[in-house]
Every structure is written in structure tokens, then in C-alpha cells.
Amino acid sequence: MIGRTNSRYVRVAVIAPVHGLFDYRLDDDTSAMPGCRVRVPFGRRRLIAIVVECPATIDFADERLRTVEAVLDAQPLLAAADIDFLRWVAGYYHHPVGEVIATALPLRLRKHDDASLPGESGWRLTEAGAARAPGPPGRAPRQADVLRWLHARAGHQATGSELRAALPGCAPTVRALQRHGWVVAVELPPRQDAQVHADFPQLNAEQAAALAALQSQSGFAVTLLDGVTGSGKTEVYLRAAAAVVARGRSVLLLVPEISLTPQLHARCRERLGDTVRVLHSGMSDGEREQVWHRMRLGLSRVLLGTRSAVFAPLPDLGLIVVDEEHDPSYKQTEGFRYSARDMAVVRGQRADCAVLLGTATPSLESLRHALDGRYRHLHLRRRAGGARRPRVALVDVRDQPLQCGVGDTLLARVGDVLGRGEQVMLFLNRRGFAPVLSCFSCGWLSDCPRCDARQTLHRASHLLWCHHCGAQRRVPKVCPECGAAELHPLGQGTEQLEGFLATRFADVPLIRVDRDATARRGSLERQLERLHASDAALLVGTQMLAKGHHFPRVTLVGVLDADGGLFSADFRAAERMAQLLVQVAGRAGRGERPGTVLIQTRYPDHPLLHTLARDGYDAFARQALAERAAASMPPYSHQALLRADATRLEDALAFVEAAATVAHAQRVAGVDLWGPVPAPMTRRAGRHRVHLLLQAGQREPLHRQLRALVKDLGALPQARRVRWSVDVDPIDLY
Ligand code: ADP
Ligand code: ZN
Ligand code: ZN
């Protein structure tokens, strides 16, 4: 517990990319507690820092100690348990602790700003309004509704958001009432959200068993809720969350992407009420800060958020849910590289609460824990609405002519299904028109000037566009090398596929779902309404199809190219591909008619693909796990990647070479070192990238090695010409 201390010293984490903690003296007339922000002199700068300890004595000569310039918070912003957790996280990822703590703070509070929770704007009845409220509606029934609703509330008042939620579209009416002098705008103090007692649907037997199992244990336990898409996992989360909220405790519900949150948010609010708040990067800083304070103070109890919400302050945490736990977007892949899924488990352990990992396609990491008995493994094998699972078949396209990547077999089936007035979804995980543009006369290819990669042709926008660094240029009219008049696109992207299908099936509505086609806000929703309103329809898209949305009237799913995942240099590619295929397939066919999934491949005998198609994801995953075990790959070993990049390849190589020498000299037994090796895509955005891979059977020696290494790296003379970072548990080696 934090108490005011008499200590004259504080130990702080500065919000800057520096490792370690620093001690300062407090002036006699000031005091600070762990969790408060302070402003301190640091070198020649002034920085904001967070107090993490108040040591009674320090072993530093007193006169060399600098003094805290200002204490910014009278009360701690973060609880002691939160600070302990964040310090642990910084140690695990070997990342500067101040930057880790900053991740847990709203943007404004990382600076010198006031940290009090502002009130909420709202409306209150005036005396005249209150007198009028019980009267007959007269000629303005909308106004009467608002008056009556406010009159029934305690204090005759409500926040703007409560009013809008209860009486949607009432804003003009409220303004009219204000003109009449019947309501006034007021600032209301922040209040605890009320609990609601909503009706839940009757759980089916599998759901009920899962919920009972989940609730049979108290304290920390991790459960892998392994349930096919549409089996009612979300319903189980909501039930479990409601029980936790009813006990006055907090719930953290993590989701991989913003695009998933609107529907889920609505569903959560329906069941759990206003106490559900969202936190994601699409919100304004002010909105985020408001939510952060409400959670911190326990005024709201359910936080629905993306990745960084795992660090939000949540008192009395009673449950953490990680939805779609396999999703790679839980891993932050630049700067402070953490896995929100993994940190959710650690946080649950520290808070001694239940952690629920839900997915239709478990990550091999989580599956291994489940098979080893460290996680409880619960299954939901049937779709909740009773819809049947789709049939999956491989289509050998080795001897088939392909038209725009679509073979005869698939094309014929598409025609049949559309002819029956049903819908088709075609999945091609490549946006743009073609992955490369080429000259047949001289062999020129549309290389990215800044990466070891090609620029993708986007024909509609007349651009060559690198999907790795974003570099763009106009499509050249003639070959930039030899001046030949004609350039040829090679391969297909969704833009091209859309064009082909539009000619081939001209009388059927066609919708493309990818980043380019849905860039404008709301355009996807409008497109999907068109889909839900029609019978026969074609849907074409990238992995965006795998997320969030449901297409109940789709009865045929075609996967154009499954081979990319089979022979990739990335050992996780097959797992990713399988997850993606199963997720895409799972979005379809929730109606009465059963669906079919056709997967085009040139390797129909590939054991993993074969197992996936014949026996499903579960069998696939066990086979893939056996392969990982045989090769001592994660999750049967642990990795960390030292990444360095520089404008010159020699500089990056020299640094990693020096780092490898240091690491070898430190001789930590049980850690294998691989490198320096150039990254698979060596040049990216104009920088050359070189890696040192560290791998170990046990975590302990790996972390011992990393601690020693990170301590020495900054002092290497070669470090001045590179940017470097450590990626613990990397999810790819690119
Ligand atoms: P998942 O999260 O596993 O994809 P959902 O919880 O979204 O599944 O459930 C899929 C659909 O089935 C939703 O429309 C949901 O409202 C419905 N559903 C889930 N459980 C039940 C139930 N016990 N009774 C009736 N409908 C249910
Ligand atoms: Zn040419
Ligand atoms: Zn590029």
C-alpha cells in the first residue's frame, strides 16, 4: 500500500529512451508518493518522470544528488501494483522503463499537464421545466418526452451521453427546450456508472459448461476458450463479465482491431450498460483520457480496448478476456515491442484473476500451454444458431488454366452458386492490381527505390506503391529503362480480380473489401448493407474479410492462393495461413444453407494443407506443433531478436558483429546466437537491416544474456551509427 512517506528521496523513471531508474532529492516543503509525476533536471534537459519508489536512504553522496523541480500530482496516478507490473514488463522486454510507464498514461499526462478528471457536460431541468414536465404533451411530443425523462431522473439531470443513449436524436429538441428556458446546460461531476440487469439469452449446453468451468475457480487461472466462429464465445465472455461487474470489480476485454469494436461495443453495452468504455487509437486524446480516468477511479468497470489497453489502470481487476488471441496485431511491432496477449496473462497472474483467451484458431503458443495442462482447454464445437459447418475441399490447379488467378473448377462453381441466387466470397490476400509491373523487352521490374521489394501496381489510382515503406510514384507510360511502349502487370491483386469478375458476372452486385476500397469511413458499412439486401452477390477481398463481419448468405468461399504460406522463410507462415483460411471460412454460411470452401493450390499433397482441409484446424495445429517440437522452434524454444538498421549496410553489420562478440564473451550457457545475418528484406525504407537472433530452451538464460547484452550495447562505438532495438518473442524475423 502506498502511504505518504517521510522520505526526502525519490527514485524515478524518466519518460525518455534511457534505461534504468534515477534518484533525486525532494525539497523540504514538498512530498511525493510512488505513482506521482515529477519534473526533474536530466542532463541539460528537463523531463517528466514517474516516482516509482521513495527510498528512505540512498547510497549516493548527498551533494551530488539533483533536486526535483516540481511535483505534478498530489495523488498517485498509478497504483503501486500497476507500477510493479510495468517495471516487470520493462524488465521482460528490456525496454526503457519510463517509456513503458508512459505507454500506460494518456498522451497529455506524459507532459506537464493537469491530471484531474473533468466533469461531464449535461442538462438539468429548470423550475419552469420541472413544472411543465408532468403536463400533457401538447403540440411538441418530442419535447414532452425529454422533459418527462429528465423529470424521472435523480436531481432532474443527466449527462449529454446518457440523454442521447436514452432518446436517440434528441439534440435539436434539447436545444429547443433550452431556448424556452426549460433546461439549462450544466457541468456534472463524474459519477459511478449504474449497473444494469439485462436479459441474456439462454446458454446452450456447451456454453453453460464453459461458463461453469470458468467460474468454478477463483483467483488466477488461464482458460483457452477454443470455439468455432459463431459458437457463442462472445456470449460466454459477456456472462462472465456481468458476474464480475456485479461483484463490483473491473473487467478488461481486449480485441485486436478497431474495426471490430463498434459491433462488439454495442453488444457489450446492451448487456452491461454504460459501465462499458472503449479505448482505441481512433479516439481523440481527450476522449481517451476521460476513459482512462474513469477506469482508474473505478467509476466505469468494463474496458473494451485494443493492444495498449492492457496497461490501463484497473482497480479490483476480476477478469481479463483476450478475444481472437491468435491475432498478430496483439504484438506491437515497432518501438516498445510487446505482446498484449502475453502481458494480459502476466497481469492476470499479478492481479490474481481469471484470464480467458478466446479464438477459433488458437496460436500454437497458447495451444501448447493448453495441451501441457497449464491452461484449461474448453471447447465450443457447434455454432450457436445451429448452422452447420462448411465443407472444405482442395482444388488442384496444376493442370488448370487460370483466368486472373481463378481456375475452371472454381469459376464453374461460382457461376452455379450465383445462378441459385446465393452469395460467393473470394479471398485473395493481395491488394492492388498486380504485385509487380514489368517490361518484356529489357526485363525492367517495378522495384521500390527504398526497399528490397517491388512496388505494387494500383491501376485505378495510377500509382506504383510500395506496401512496405509507402513510397509511391506515377505509373510510367513507357519503360523507364529502354523506352518500350508497353509494360505488363504480373500476377493478380484484388483490384484486378474485381475487374475480371465484373465483366464475367456483370449482372451480379460485386463488393470489394480491402484497405483501398474501404479507406473512406463508413464506406464498408454502406457496401455491406448492399450485400445484405441482395440475393446473388460476389464479395472479393483480402484478410479484412477474416475480421469481425459476418456474411450469413455466403454459401461458397473460394481461396485463390493458399501456397504462399507453405514454403515461406518465416516458420510461422503456415500457422498464419491456416488461421486466416479458417477465419475467412468462418465468416460465411451462418444461415440455414451449409457452405463450401474451395482452396486452390498447386500442392494438394502438402501434409499441413491436407490435414487442414480434411481434419480441420485442430488437427492441423497439433501436426504443426509436432513439427515445431522436432525442430526446437517456438513455442518449444524462446527467441529474441537484436535488430539494427543504418543507412549503410556496413554500419549495421559492424554493430551486430560487435554485439555478437560481446554476447559470445558473456558466455551464457544454454543460449544460441545466430548472426550477424541480414534481415530477409535487407533494405527497407532506405535503411539496411541486420539481425542477431538469440534462442534458448529456457527463458531464464535468455533473459540473463539479454540483460548483460543490453547493458553493454549502448557503449559500443559502433552503436553511434545505427538504430537498434531488442524484440523479445518476435512474431516474425523480418
Ligand atoms: P463467437 O463469438 O463465437 O463468434 P457469438 O457469441 O458472436 O459467437 O455468437 C454467434 C451468434 O449466435 C450471435 O448472433 C449470437 O447472438 C448468437 N448466440 C450466441 N449464443 C447464443 C445462445 N445461447 N442462444 C441464442 N443465440 C446465441
Ligand atoms: Zn524495358
Ligand atoms: Zn519500399
Side-chain angles (χ1 to χ4, degrees):
M1 283 283 93
I2 311 169
R4 217 162 267 278
T5 70
N6 297 320
S7 170
R8 301 321 309 149
Y9 307 109
V10 288
R11 187 158 293 154
V12 307
V14 292
I15 299 185
V18 289
H19 284 274
L21 298 171
F22 300 88
D23 290 342
Y24 288 86
R25 191 207 326 256
L26 280 171
D27 265 339
D28 287 343
D29 56 345
T30 56
S31 66
M33 288 180 274
C36 294
R37 293 170 306 154
V38 291
R39 193 175 63 225
V40 295
F42 192 83
R44 280 189 227 131
R45 291 180 293 169
R46 289 190 164 75
L47 295 176
I48 304 296
I50 312 285
V51 177
V52 302
E53 283 172 40
C54 296
T57 56
I58 51 169
D59 46 356
F60 220 74
D62 215 19
E63 48 292 357
R64 281 177 53 201
L65 214 57
R66 301 176 82 177
T67 304
V68 167
E69 286 186 359
V71 177
L72 304 179
D73 304 306
Q75 294 296 321
L77 290 182
L78 294 171
D82 293 331
I83 290 181
D84 284 349
F85 170 56
L86 294 165
R87 286 177 72 179
W88 186 92
V89 171
Y92 183 83
Y93 287 109
H94 302 272
H95 195 82
V97 59
E99 290 201 332
V100 174
I101 294 180
T103 310
L105 296 177
L107 214 53
R108 223 173 46 88
L109 301 187
R110 301 174 195 176
K111 305 183 208 123
H112 179 182
D113 274 323
D114 170 47
S116 56
L117 173 59
E120 273 190 81
S121 58
W123 302 94
R124 181 186 298 150
L125 285 184
T126 59
E127 264 179 46
R132 202 175 171 85
R139 278 181 296 127
R142 301 267 299 158
Q143 295 186 6
D145 282 346
V146 174
L147 289 176
R148 245 181 288 117
W149 188 83
L150 279 172
H151 196 251
R153 306 256 321 176
H156 292 179
Q157 63 190 18
T159 65
S161 53
E162 288 169 334
L163 199 53
R164 280 193 302 277
L167 302 163
C170 68
T173 316
V174 173
R175 278 195 298 277
L177 292 171
Q178 188 184 21
R179 281 195 299 276
H180 289 305
W182 294 334
V183 302
V184 284
V186 288
E187 165 120 339
L188 299 169
R191 282 180 314 125
Q192 178 89 43
D193 290 316
Q195 286 196 17
V196 298
H197 301 279
D199 290 335
F200 283 82
Q202 180 88 35
L203 294 184
N204 64 35
E206 280 187 330
Q207 288 173 312
L211 184 67
L214 192 66
Q215 293 179 332
S216 67
Q217 264 177 302
S218 62
F220 173 66
V222 186
T223 303
L224 177 61
L225 184 59
D226 185 344
V228 298
T229 323
S231 59
K233 296 184 290 296
T234 309
E235 218 47 66
V236 175
Y237 310 154
L238 293 175
R239 280 287 185 108
V244 171
V245 173
R247 293 203 308 271
R249 301 182 68 183
S250 301
V251 175
L252 173 61
L253 176 49
L254 293 175
V255 291
E257 295 202 24
I258 262 182
S259 66
L260 298 179
T261 46
Q263 295 137 323
L264 188 58
H265 188 202
R267 209 162 145 196
C268 289
R269 286 189 85 108
E270 204 175 285
R271 299 293 163 66
L272 306 167
D274 292 342
T275 204
V276 179
R277 301 287 163 140
V278 277
L279 207 54
H280 60 68
S281 55
M283 295 161 66
S284 74
D285 294 342
E287 288 171 319
R288 292 172 61 93
E289 189 172 339
Q290 180 91 10
V291 170
W292 185 87
H293 278 298
R294 291 196 64 85
M295 301 316 303
R296 174 174 78 85
L297 298 169
L299 297 173
S300 298
R301 284 305 193 180
V302 182
L303 181 61
L304 172 61
T306 48
R307 198 165 55 210
S308 65
V310 74
F311 299 124
L314 296 162
D316 319 310
L317 197 52
L319 172 69
I320 302 177
V321 178
V322 183
D323 190 26
E324 309 289 2
E325 66 85 26
H326 65 279
D327 197 300
S329 53
Y330 281 121
K331 175 84 191 223
Q332 167 90 40
T333 52
E334 53 199 35
F336 166 32
R337 299 165 189 261
Y338 63 93
S339 157
R341 192 256 330 269
D342 295 351
M343 292 309 102
V345 172
V346 173
R347 188 163 186 189
Q349 184 170 30
R350 300 178 74 99
D352 196 29
C353 76
V355 179
L356 183 55
L357 308 178
T359 176
T361 53
S363 65
L364 296 190
E365 280 75 10
S366 298
L367 189 62
R368 181 195 172 191
H369 288 314
L371 296 177
D372 288 355
R374 262 194 300 273
Y375 294 177
R376 214 164 16 174
H377 199 176
L378 302 178
H379 294 272
L380 300 179
R381 298 182 199 276
R382 270 177 296 281
R383 287 186 169 185
R388 269 176 288 167
R389 292 177 66 177
R391 199 177 66 84
V392 182
L394 297 178
V395 180
D396 182 355
V397 288
R398 276 174 302 191
D399 50 6
Q400 286 194 11
L402 299 179
Q403 296 180 60
C404 199
V406 189
D408 287 352
T409 311
L410 181 56
L411 204 55
R413 289 292 293 275
V414 171
D416 290 349
V417 169
L418 293 176
R420 286 205 301 270
E422 297 171 9
Q423 300 183 347
V424 177
M425 179 158 102
L426 294 180
F427 172 68
L428 174 62
N429 206 13
R430 238 179 351 242
R431 65 196 177 94
F433 188 85
V436 55
L437 188 65
S438 81
C439 169
F440 287 175
S441 309
C442 74
W444 173 86
L445 295 170
S446 55
D447 288 330
C448 174
R450 308 174 68 214
C451 303
D452 294 329
R454 316 275 187 230
Q455 283 179 315
T456 298
L457 173 63
H458 287 251
R459 195 139 94 178
S461 45
H462 310 287
L463 286 174
L464 289 177
W465 184 356
C466 174
H467 291 178
H468 303 283
C469 73
Q472 293 182 344
R473 57 181 150 153
R474 304 278 301 173
V475 176
K477 293 216 163 38
V478 297
C479 173
E481 284 295 323
C482 73
E486 218 179 330
L487 293 171
H488 301 269
L490 299 181
Q492 301 81 37
T494 44
E495 189 186 326
Q496 188 178 157
L497 183 60
E498 180 189 30
F500 166 70
L501 295 168
T503 339
R504 180 83 191 210
F505 302 102
D507 47 352
V508 172
L510 171 59
I511 293 163
R512 191 174 107 211
V513 180
D514 60 28
R515 278 239 300 279
D516 306 315
T518 59
R520 275 168 299 122
R521 259 202 172 175
S523 74
L524 180 59
E525 271 61 36
R526 276 198 301 280
Q527 297 256 37
L528 294 179
E529 273 166 34
R530 204 152 66 88
L531 191 75
H532 294 311
S534 45
D535 293 327
L538 260 165
L539 196 63
V540 175
T542 59
Q543 58 176 330
M544 275 184 82
L545 285 175
K547 309 223 162 159
H549 294 281
H550 300 304
F551 309 103
R553 308 176 70 181
V554 169
T555 56
L556 173 65
V557 177
V559 175
L560 263 60
D561 178 13
D563 297 341
L566 297 178
F567 303 101
S568 168
D570 180 354
F571 70 87
R572 283 191 175 82
E575 177 189 356
R576 285 285 141 64
M577 177 204 65
Q579 288 165 346
L580 206 50
L581 296 190
V582 173
Q583 294 286 344
V584 170
R587 301 294 147 191
R590 289 197 179 186
E592 300 81 61
R593 281 171 287 200
T596 305
V597 182
L598 295 182
I599 301 175
Q600 295 194 148
T601 176
R602 291 180 192 280
Y603 304 93
D605 301 322
H606 191 286
L608 284 177
L609 194 56
H610 196 70
T611 303
L612 180 66
R614 196 191 50 199
D615 303 324
Y617 184 83
D618 201 42
F620 161 87
R622 282 163 196 259
Q623 191 172 328
L625 263 182
E627 288 187 2
R628 298 269 188 96
S632 296
M633 296 299 264
Y636 295 93
S637 62
H638 306 286
Q639 294 182 332
L641 198 61
L642 172 66
R643 302 167 182 271
D645 63 67
T647 45
R648 298 192 320 155
L649 179 61
E650 309 85 86
D651 292 338
L653 275 170
F655 170 78
V656 178
E657 183 75 63
T661 306
V662 170
H664 279 294
Q666 289 165 343
R667 287 179 175 281
V668 178
V671 180
D672 292 326
L673 301 166
W674 311 87
V677 283
M681 184 192 295
T682 307
R683 199 169 50 105
R684 181 159 166 182
R687 297 187 66 93
H688 291 85
R689 303 162 340 122
V690 177
H691 294 164
L692 176 66
L693 179 67
L694 299 87
Q695 185 169 315
Q698 303 298 322
R699 287 199 182 279
E700 196 280 325
L702 181 65
H703 282 275
R704 195 148 31 91
Q705 172 87 76
L706 286 170
R707 264 195 307 277
L709 188 58
V710 166
K711 206 147 88 23
D712 289 349
L713 283 182
L716 289 176
Q718 293 89 342
R720 284 200 296 272
R721 293 202 188 84
V722 301
R723 289 191 311 214
W724 62 270
S725 64
V726 173
D727 188 353
V728 177
D729 307 325
I731 60 162
D732 63 57
L733 305 181
Y734 286 74

